[in-house]
Amino acid sequence: MQQRRACIIGAGISGLTAIKACLEEGITPVCLEQQDHIGGAWHMNEDGSPTDAEFGLVCKMFSAVITNTSRKMTEFSDFPMSKDFPTFIPARKLIEYIQAYIKHFDLAKYVQNGIRVDDVSKAADYHTTGNWVVTYTDLKNSERKQRQETFSNVVVCNGIFNEQIKPMFPGEETFAGEIIHGGDYFNSNLYKGKNVLIIGSSFSASDIAVDCSKVAKNTILSARKGLWIMPRMVDGQEPWDATLFSRPYINMIPFKARMLQWGHRLYNQFNYKSYNIVPKRGFLRQPICISDEIQSRMVYGTLKVKPGVARFDNRSVHFTDGTTFNNVDVVIFATGYRMKCNFIQDKSIIADKCEDIEMYKHIFPVNDPKHTMAFVNYLRVLGSVLPTSELQSRVIASVFAGQIKLPSVEKMRVDVHNHKSRISNQWGNCVVPKEFVHFYYQQLADILGAKPKISKLLRKDRKLAMKCLFGPAIPAQYRLFGRHANYSVARQSVLDLDQEVMAH
């Protein structure tokens, strides 16, 4: 039987996990990466300067980033983080961890840098083989000639940060200051002593607003829907994700009741009315900002929050409440991204509009009957990208290797429809589909046969069973069983949970 070769497009987190998963299943990975580095957005130069965007990088890591998810909920299932890592991890430390992962599993040799993928199309014999033809350009070559190769599989790992969203406001063309997108922000040094407006209400908006407020003359955050503020440590005791995704809490309390409870809990932790940030929709029905500093910056007066922007007028920005921010120097649009996949022209595989995309479990295009193409991280999760990409990649490689059989197209289409309805009910309208990591992990682990087998553990390893039953659903739990399980490493990681989560 001919060796299967998978073209993996992108060498960020998703591409790295896809390489590793393919190797585990005996599939030869060929990873094509447009940039000159590995790690995608999780990369900085050695001197701490921002990544060079020579080849069109639209989302750079900025220096003050700290993970929104805690250490044990962020790490890969079979590669625990060092115990000296803090509970929430600064960007440089997480980049260090990712580079250690690359080295430990010897992944770099499968990556070809400076390669731009121009087109992915079904091969002439697709209906019998499922093959794909990939057209690409070597950007390092001065001639930049296109080449074509045929692959048995394609894994798209270019992520969701590939087209910046910049809303247009009345009068914006008259603005005499600087306008940038949050994806181009690196640190606050450039904004010292300036009047800065940040537009947005989610993770990056709050991070950038807090960072700027420490050096800018005036900093205003425009949040048209108000804000939900989630501290990283709940009541100063334990990580929010270890609490929200603990199995007893998930299994014993209905979803709507949990959301109401958390919304009430967060609302009582800060005077939302006094600072004019009352959220317009319920908890998780609109974006949240995970921050430990935004409340204090508001209390200090170094950061003010305003509602939506009504219009621009030269150097002034007018808000919907009738107030005005004058002499604005910089406007930063922390307004997110659209998913874009320009190198796939067949819109039946991936549509231009997010709401028209049909992917089984956010991975397999329904209109690829051979199931030889897959997408990693084409969603937003309330949780960490690292283990999400890893679990998706394990499912993908197992399907490609013929170890797992997917449902019929009809059944997949019904599942996609049901998923879209549920996501709409839970999250409202989304530019990118969203999932809770626990529920999503359970779905993927069910396909993979990697759910923790509690009854078996109760007989074999009661201590571990109790941790799985009553602790948070950390990624290591999904490496105890199933294909390519690593019981000893995963077991120790689960048992170390209390010590590591609460150590810092």
Side-chain angles (χ1 to χ4, degrees):
M1 184 176 178
Q2 189 176 3
Q3 174 72 33
R4 299 193 72 84
R5 295 172 69 242
C7 178
I8 298 168
I9 303 171
I13 300 299
S14 304
L16 295 170
T17 58
I19 293 171
K20 180 175 176 290
C22 283
L23 291 170
E24 288 174 338
E25 293 292 352
I27 300 168
T28 302
V30 179
C31 183
L32 306 181
E33 166 56 53
Q34 183 167 318
Q35 303 303 321
D36 60 0
H37 64 268
I38 300 175
W42 288 100
H43 180 268
M44 290 183 195
N45 295 327
E46 289 185 9
D47 62 358
S49 61
T51 297
D52 186 3
E54 179 183 358
F55 299 133
L57 191 65
V58 297
C59 179
K60 291 181 282 190
M61 183 57 53
F62 66 91
S63 60
V65 162
I66 297 173
T67 59
N68 291 324
T69 53
S70 60
R71 178 178 60 246
K72 296 302 293 182
M73 299 293 283
T74 301
E75 66 188 13
F76 294 114
S77 65
D78 58 354
F79 192 66
M81 291 187 184
S82 170
K83 293 183 181 181
D84 65 1
F85 270 44
T87 302
F88 290 90
I89 309 142
R92 293 300 296 267
K93 292 292 285 185
L94 190 63
I95 291 169
E96 177 187 318
Y97 171 70
I98 293 165
Q99 292 302 316
Y101 178 80
I102 294 167
K103 184 176 180 180
H104 181 79
F105 293 107
D106 198 17
L107 304 179
K109 66 184 180 183
Y110 300 97
V111 179
Q112 299 177 29
N113 290 100
I115 304 294
R116 183 188 67 215
V117 173
D118 302 313
D119 184 75
V120 178
S121 302
K122 293 174 180 176
D125 60 356
Y126 167 84
H127 294 291
T128 55
T129 65
N131 286 345
W132 298 86
V133 175
V134 177
T135 304
Y136 59 88
T137 301
D138 185 349
L139 300 175
K140 304 186 300 299
N141 189 316
S142 58
E143 295 182 1
R144 297 201 170 186
K145 290 184 178 179
Q146 284 190 332
R147 292 186 58 192
Q148 286 188 338
E149 282 191 62
T150 299
F151 293 90
S152 48
N153 299 97
V154 170
V155 189
V156 180
C157 301
N158 67 330
I160 57 174
F161 300 134
N162 38 46
E163 183 180 78
Q164 297 174 347
I165 296 175
K166 285 185 181 178
M168 282 295 296
F169 294 96
E172 188 178 324
E173 71 280 359
T174 71
F175 182 62
E178 179 187 3
I179 295 178
I180 69 166
H181 190 273
D184 299 315
Y185 180 89
F186 182 65
N187 62 35
S188 60
N189 294 345
L190 295 174
Y191 310 110
K192 187 174 182 179
K194 294 185 177 182
N195 291 323
V196 182
L197 170 66
I198 298 97
I199 299 174
S201 58
S202 193
F203 306 141
S204 59
S206 56
D207 286 343
I208 293 170
V210 166
D211 197 36
C212 284
S213 71
K214 296 173 182 178
V215 299
K217 182 179 180 181
N218 293 290
T219 304
I220 288 182
L221 173 64
S222 169
R224 63 187 176 90
K225 297 179 182 178
L227 294 174
W228 277 110
I229 301 172
M230 172 86 82
R232 286 182 172 85
M233 299 294 286
V234 178
D235 300 324
Q237 296 298 310
E238 56 182 329
W240 71 269
D241 49 358
T243 305
L244 188 60
F245 299 121
S246 66
R247 288 189 188 276
Y249 187 70
I250 290 168
N251 295 334
M252 294 172 63
I253 304 176
F255 175 80
K256 287 186 177 180
R258 289 200 307 274
M259 296 307 101
L260 286 171
Q261 182 187 57
W262 269 80
H264 182 74
R265 186 178 189 176
L266 294 178
Y267 198 81
N268 287 333
Q269 288 184 355
F270 190 67
N271 194 335
Y272 282 72
K273 285 185 178 179
S274 293
Y275 290 91
N276 299 314
I277 60 168
V278 176
K280 291 188 175 180
R281 306 187 70 182
F283 178 61
L284 296 186
R285 292 285 293 169
Q286 68 177 61
I288 63 172
C289 60
I290 297 175
S291 176
D292 306 300
E293 295 186 77
I294 193 168
Q295 301 102 318
S296 59
R297 304 312 298 182
M298 284 189 275
V299 170
Y300 302 157
T302 57
L303 171 63
K304 294 181 173 66
V305 180
K306 294 287 185 179
V309 171
R311 61 188 174 89
F312 285 69
D313 182 11
N314 197 0
R315 292 284 296 279
S316 297
V317 178
H318 303 273
F319 301 100
T320 55
D321 65 352
T323 59
T324 301
F325 187 13
N326 293 314
N327 300 314
V328 179
D329 296 301
V330 184
V331 176
I332 302 173
F333 282 92
T335 44
Y337 303 82
R338 289 188 188 90
M339 295 192 301
K340 199 87 170 178
C341 199
N342 291 328
F343 48 81
I344 297 179
Q345 303 304 316
D346 185 346
K347 299 310 175 186
S348 71
I349 296 295
I350 179 165
D352 285 330
K353 294 183 178 179
C354 179
E355 60 267 28
D356 296 329
I357 294 174
E358 291 190 311
M359 286 191 199
Y360 180 65
K361 305 303 181 188
H362 307 291
I363 298 173
F364 299 100
V366 170
N367 291 316
D368 169 26
K370 292 294 184 180
H371 309 314
T372 52
M373 174 180 279
F375 292 72
V376 181
N377 196 28
Y378 259 58
L379 77 164
R380 292 294 298 268
V381 292
L382 186 62
S384 175
V385 169
L386 278 68
T388 303
S389 298
E390 179 191 34
L391 203 49
Q392 285 184 318
S393 295
R394 290 172 66 192
V395 171
I396 290 166
S398 296
V399 169
F400 286 175
Q403 299 298 328
I404 293 174
K405 184 175 174 60
L406 294 178
S408 66
V409 170
E410 292 75 19
K411 288 183 178 179
M412 286 198 293
R413 192 161 273 124
V414 170
D415 185 85
V416 168
H417 174 76
N418 292 338
H419 260 69
K420 286 185 175 183
S421 296
R422 179 179 54 76
I423 289 169
S424 178
N425 289 334
Q426 288 182 355
W427 301 92
N429 294 326
C430 304
V431 176
V432 177
K434 296 180 180 179
E435 292 278 6
F436 287 96
V437 286
H438 172 74
F439 300 120
Y440 189 52
Y441 289 177
Q442 290 289 94
Q443 294 173 44
L444 298 185
D446 193 40
I447 294 171
L448 201 59
K451 280 185 178 179
K453 298 176 181 178
I454 303 299
S455 58
K456 185 174 181 179
L457 288 175
L458 284 169
R459 296 191 302 271
K460 176 184 175 183
D461 196 332
R462 188 173 180 82
K463 184 178 180 181
L464 180 60
M466 292 298 102
K467 290 285 187 180
C468 291
L469 266 175
F470 298 108
I474 68 171
Q477 291 188 11
Y478 302 105
R479 193 63 81 157
L480 292 167
F481 299 98
R483 295 185 61 75
H484 309 292
N486 191 332
Y487 189 87
S488 60
V489 170
R491 178 183 188 275
Q492 190 59 54
S493 184
V494 174
L495 294 180
D496 285 344
L497 178 65
D498 289 341
Q499 174 190 346
E500 293 197 32
V501 166
M502 302 306 298
H504 299 273

